[in-house]
Amino acid sequence: MAEILLEVCVDNAAGLLAAVEGGADRIELCSALELGGLTPSFGLMKLAARQPLPVYAMIRPRAGDFVFDANDLAVMRDDIAMAREAGLAGVVLGASKDDGRLDADMLAVLVEHSYGMGLTLHRAFDCTGPDFGDALETAILLGFERVLTSGGAASAVAGLSVLERLFEQAAGRISVMPGAGVNADTIALLHARLPLKEVHGSCSKPVRKALGSAAELGFARVGQRETDVGMVRALKAALG
């Protein structure tokens, strides 16, 4: 049986090193994972580029929806150039129209600007429902390697029926990578019904240290999470 690749999303240096130590096969590098992931800093990109595994940078200039204007596009183009300069293997992209469909025109510009780098379409895909099939064909035409998706649900387990249809439609033309709520406890449910080749998880737990005045002054949030070496190892082991 072919090995299932584990991608771990991280948003700081400690999480990056924990994911590497735990046995991740690829990193999705972000900032502010509590907001769904934003573009990481150049310094974090350079640290990640020195690790012994592929790293893809999230290219998302702000929190909120994925409907971007010309100014957002300019920022994303420069952020892609920054990821390239740092030496990262790829980028994670997404853009939507007002009605939730993929913004194919904007994505085509971003894909062209990312020439030579690996390409993942992020969970803006999950906002396209119920037209997931059309969105998948768009991703294929644009040249994405993979689409990260929960099947349009709050978790990949909840979106299993849609994921099954996406795997069937993809037929090897693009990788469908389940994400959201994927961990050592849920992976068996996914593995039983999907021909998995790669999965995506945060492998994180609540921050244990007291945040003190940093939280009181609004610099830290109660409920923050951190990448856990043991959880990375457990998920990697569960993948066989």
Side-chain angles (χ1 to χ4, degrees):
M1 182 180 297
E3 180 182 5
I4 299 171
L5 181 148
L6 171 59
E7 177 180 275
V8 177
C9 54
V10 304
D11 65 356
N12 56 41
L16 168 66
L17 299 178
V20 172
E21 182 181 347
D25 299 298
R26 186 174 63 235
I27 297 293
E28 181 191 86
L29 193 71
C30 310
S31 65
L33 274 174
E34 70 274 13
L35 300 175
L38 303 178
T39 304
S41 71
F42 187 49
L44 185 57
M45 288 186 189
K46 290 201 291 185
L47 176 63
R50 295 195 290 269
Q51 305 310 308
L53 72 174
V55 178
Y56 282 47
M58 171 66 75
I59 304 297
R60 184 181 173 214
R62 56 163 177 77
D65 63 23
F66 307 108
V67 181
F68 299 123
D69 62 19
N71 291 322
D72 294 320
L73 177 59
V75 171
M76 289 190 285
R77 286 168 58 96
D78 285 342
D79 286 342
I80 291 167
M82 186 170 65
R84 187 190 305 278
E85 182 180 346
L88 300 188
V91 289
V92 183
L93 308 173
S96 303
K97 293 182 175 292
D98 288 331
D99 61 4
R101 290 179 300 142
L102 293 178
D103 188 336
D105 292 337
M106 183 172 289
L107 286 171
V109 172
L110 294 171
V111 167
E112 182 179 10
H113 202 62
S114 307
Y115 180 80
M117 304 180 77
L119 295 171
T120 298
L121 176 62
H122 64 51
R123 290 185 63 207
F125 179 90
D126 286 327
C127 298
T128 65
D131 299 322
F132 298 115
D134 290 343
L136 190 68
E137 295 301 323
T138 297
I140 292 168
L141 287 172
L142 286 168
F144 282 94
E145 296 174 278
R146 69 185 58 80
V147 56
L148 169 61
T149 175
S150 63
S155 70
V157 170
L160 254 174
S161 60
V162 172
L163 287 170
E164 286 180 314
R165 294 197 296 272
L166 290 171
F167 270 87
E168 182 178 0
Q169 179 181 342
R173 296 177 296 157
I174 190 171
S175 175
V176 177
M177 179 170 64
V182 176
N183 54 50
D185 296 324
T186 60
I187 191 62
L189 294 172
L190 299 172
H191 202 179
R193 292 174 55 180
L194 302 172
L196 298 173
K197 295 187 181 300
E198 51 186 349
V199 297
H200 172 99
S202 69
C203 299
S204 63
K205 64 181 182 182
V207 173
R208 294 179 179 174
K209 63 184 178 183
L211 298 174
S213 60
E216 294 170 9
L217 294 172
F219 298 119
R221 294 178 56 186
V222 175
Q224 284 184 247
R225 301 179 68 84
E226 59 187 8
T227 309
D228 180 70
V229 173
M231 293 181 70
V232 176
R233 287 179 177 148
L235 180 51
K236 183 63 179 175
L239 292 173

